Amino acid sequence: MKILVINGPNLNMLGIREPAHYGRETYADLVKKIQNHCEEKGIGVTLYQSNHEGDLVDKIQEAYGTADGIVINPGAYTHTSIALLDAVKSVNIPTVEVHISKVEEREDFRQISYIRLACVKTITGHGTDGYLEAIDFLSEEYGHDGDLSAL
Ligand code: DQA
């Protein structure tokens, strides 16, 4: 099982940005946490973060034929980007949408998620544990034993 974890804009600022919403863990902490979890479970994982919409589209397209699942936190592009929605639809890879904060209890403009229309599951408000839950879900639903290879 090979999973691609994608983080969008400002998620490189974890630990610094709005800790009341996003906690004190840094992006480097998140990377380590996900890598350790995947190593324990024998899941291949690649992580990618970008502040640029087109780069995120490129990364989703590159996953075609190489990744068995995608975990994505598109940050603010969640609420604006039809291009990311179309990219996930294009590659047809099972994708889980993750948000660290409980978006449904926040501003009205955060209530729209375009990418959700192409996702098999959405996890919100579980902090960074939400990424691990998303990985476990993909592994249980779409994983197959014996494939320990990384992307
Ligand atoms: C977020 C929620 C978004 O509304 C926000 O723009 C982010 C982070 C989250 O993880 O809770 O950048 O996706």
Side-chain angles (χ1 to χ4, degrees), residues 101-119:
S101 67
K102 215 171 178 58
V103 274
E104 58 273 26
E105 293 180 1
R106 298 182 64 193
E107 300 94 327
D108 286 351
F109 60 81
R110 293 185 207 275
Q111 303 316 311
I112 288 174
S113 168
Y114 288 105
I115 207 160
R116 193 163 303 169
L117 299 170
C119 289

Side-chain angles (χ1 to χ4, degrees), residues 9 11 17 22 73 75-76 78-79 98-101 103 106 110:
L11 288 153
R17 72 181 290 216
Y22 305 116
N73 181 348
T78 307
H79 319 300
V98 171
H99 299 285
I100 296 169
S101 67
V103 274
R106 298 182 64 193
R110 293 185 207 275

Side-chain angles (χ1 to χ4, degrees), residues 2 27 31 46 82 104 116 122 124 135 140:
K2 292 172 268 180
Y27 181 69
V31 168
T46 296
I82 297 168
E104 58 273 26
R116 193 163 303 169
T122 296
T124 69
I135 288 164
E140 278 153 30

